[in-house]
């Protein structure tokens, strides 16, 4: 496995748009195959049961990136 094979590196490169067309299609295909396999195996069965407060907690690590993107968008609009 190369240095770019780590999921965090792939996610970062996809966010920046520097992954390349072939690799981004490969990542999309892998995600689609995984989703199809999970749908086939699990069907309508619930895979994870989480309390209602867990969903916002799982989104919390992305908050600094969302704020940074919003600030950059706002600052670039002023010109």
């Amino acid at each position: 496995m190369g240095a770019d094979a780590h999921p965090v590196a792939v996610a970062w490169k996809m966010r920046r748009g520097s992954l390349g067309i072939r690799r981004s299609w490969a990542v999309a295909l892998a995600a689609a195959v995984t989703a199809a396999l999970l749908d086939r195996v699990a069907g309508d069965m619930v895979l994870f049961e989480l309390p209602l407060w867990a969903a916002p907690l799982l989104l919390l690590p992305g908050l600094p990136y969302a704020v940074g993107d919003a600030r950059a968008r706002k600052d670039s609009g002023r010109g």
Side-chain angles (χ1 to χ4, degrees):
M1 263 204 247
D4 291 339
H6 194 275
V8 174
V10 171
W12 181 255
K13 286 184 178 268
M14 284 184 73
R15 183 177 181 276
R16 287 181 43 212
S18 63
L19 192 58
I21 190 72
R22 288 184 182 163
R23 284 187 181 172
S24 62
W25 275 101
V27 168
L29 181 65
V33 168
T34 303
L37 286 175
L38 277 176
D39 184 50
R40 181 88 169 152
V41 171
D44 289 335
M45 185 176 65
V46 176
L47 291 178
F48 304 107
E49 287 190 20
L50 295 173
L52 289 176
W53 55 265
L57 190 65
L58 291 172
L59 293 173
L60 210 56
L63 186 61
Y65 299 108
V67 170
D69 286 345
R71 286 183 180 170
R73 195 175 312 120
K74 185 175 118 180
D75 290 343
S76 68
R78 289 185 184 164

